[in-house]
Amino acid sequence: MNQYVTGTVIKELREKNKMTQLQLADRLGVSDKTVSKWETGKGYPDITLLEPIAGAFKISVTELISGNTIKNANVSANMLRSKFYVCPVCGNVIHSMGEAAIQCHGILLSPLEAETSDEQHMIFTERIEDEYYVRIDHEMTKSHFISFMAAVSSDNIQMLKLYPEGNAEARFKIRGVKKIFFYCNRDGLFSQDIVKGIDDKESEYYYSDERKGLEETAKKLFG
Ligand SMILES: [Fe+2]
């Protein structure tokens, strides 16, 4: 975690804003040598300069200190672009509709990058009446377990916390669900799209190969 603005962040932001050291220095009323010192870690800008520096880069002081630029494109975010943040110390799960500077236990958390489910993290979905029954084929021991599952539609999220010794399964209301996310405490975040013609059937497939075949057929049928 950054406790204060770092030289690397200043350099990155300056280059992103296509400014030279001299241009930034002029704006702040310091010499380009001073800016160079900050960027090479030979000194820190005085606290009274934080606001002018943030202003020069058109960001907030919080963003400047956290080193995380919050993109304003999130204003009307679609839930399908949800970001999940997990604290490695306490397992706290934070859901955000877009990127944010989030800290837990003094750690600046990065948004998790979801991978497609693999052989060790197989997901099985079937429809039971108006719900999806979702099961992850994975151990649920104290040291290795699925810690949450979430079903996301464009305007809604259903999230379920799971615990070791429990079952890695959930039931979600169907209402427009397009994506299932789940998190393994060791292997990270996974996601799988709900595929029309497979997951809305009242039956389960048994092997990942079978699902692959079904996905191809569904693609041909439904595009
Ligand atoms: Fe795992």
Side-chain angles (χ1 to χ4, degrees):
M1 181 185 78
N2 300 336
Q3 300 287 357
Y4 199 70
V5 63
T6 65
T8 323
V9 168
I10 295 177
K11 187 166 190 266
E12 266 175 29
L13 287 166
R14 180 179 59 74
E15 286 170 352
K16 211 170 110 190
N17 284 272
K18 297 189 173 60
M19 290 168 94
T20 63
Q21 287 185 340
L22 187 62
Q23 283 168 330
L24 178 63
D26 284 348
R27 265 197 80 140
L28 303 172
V30 298
S31 72
D32 55 340
K33 217 176 146 189
T34 305
V35 172
S36 164
K37 269 190 196 165
W38 299 340
E39 292 188 357
T40 50
K42 290 184 187 107
Y44 286 105
D46 185 80
I47 193 156
T48 57
L49 285 171
L50 290 188
E51 259 192 65
I53 294 173
F57 300 141
K58 299 175 199 72
I59 59 172
S60 65
V61 174
T62 314
E63 289 170 282
L64 181 68
I65 292 176
S66 72
N68 234 16
T69 350
I70 302 156
K71 294 173 194 81
N72 282 333
N74 298 330
V75 178
S76 58
N78 180 318
M79 289 294 250
L80 290 168
R81 285 188 222 120
S82 286
K83 301 281 175 202
F84 295 95
Y85 297 78
V86 175
C87 174
V89 178
C90 68
N92 188 9
V93 182
I94 300 125
H95 166 255
S96 168
M97 285 175 66
E99 269 185 48
I102 290 167
Q103 289 184 9
C104 190
H105 273 88
I107 303 160
L108 180 67
L109 306 177
S110 310
L112 299 170
E113 198 78 40
E115 289 172 48
T116 44
S117 50
D118 59 21
E119 296 292 323
Q120 278 74 49
H121 300 85
M122 274 299 296
I123 177 170
F124 297 93
T125 312
E126 65 180 304
R127 184 167 63 85
I128 297 178
E129 290 164 359
D130 61 343
E131 289 180 324
Y132 284 127
Y133 166 70
V134 186
R135 180 172 69 80
I136 317 290
D137 189 10
H138 193 279
E139 62 178 271
M140 289 295 275
T141 57
K142 279 194 179 104
S143 57
H144 193 185
F145 65 102
I146 303 301
S147 73
F148 74 85
M149 286 166 76
V152 182
S153 70
S154 57
D155 62 356
N156 182 278
I157 178 164
Q158 304 169 64
M159 202 156 126
L160 184 76
K161 180 85 184 85
L162 300 170
Y163 298 93
E165 317 300 342
N167 291 331
E169 60 182 16
R171 276 167 178 262
F172 298 114
K173 290 270 169 225
I174 287 180
R175 54 177 181 211
V177 167
K178 294 251 163 52
K179 230 179 215 300
I180 305 285
F181 288 93
F182 62 96
Y183 182 77
C184 163
N185 73 316
R186 276 202 199 170
D187 303 299
L189 187 68
F190 294 89
S191 75
Q192 175 139 312
D193 292 344
I194 290 286
V195 181
K196 201 178 162 189
I198 302 180
D199 298 310
D200 53 1
K201 287 269 157 44
E202 290 189 17
S203 65
E204 209 181 53
Y205 41 90
Y206 295 98
Y207 307 103
S208 56
D209 287 353
E210 189 187 352
R211 184 185 169 95
K212 270 189 201 116
L214 286 168
E215 273 183 9
E216 272 159 35
T217 315
K219 219 175 173 181
K220 275 181 206 143
L221 281 172
F222 305 108

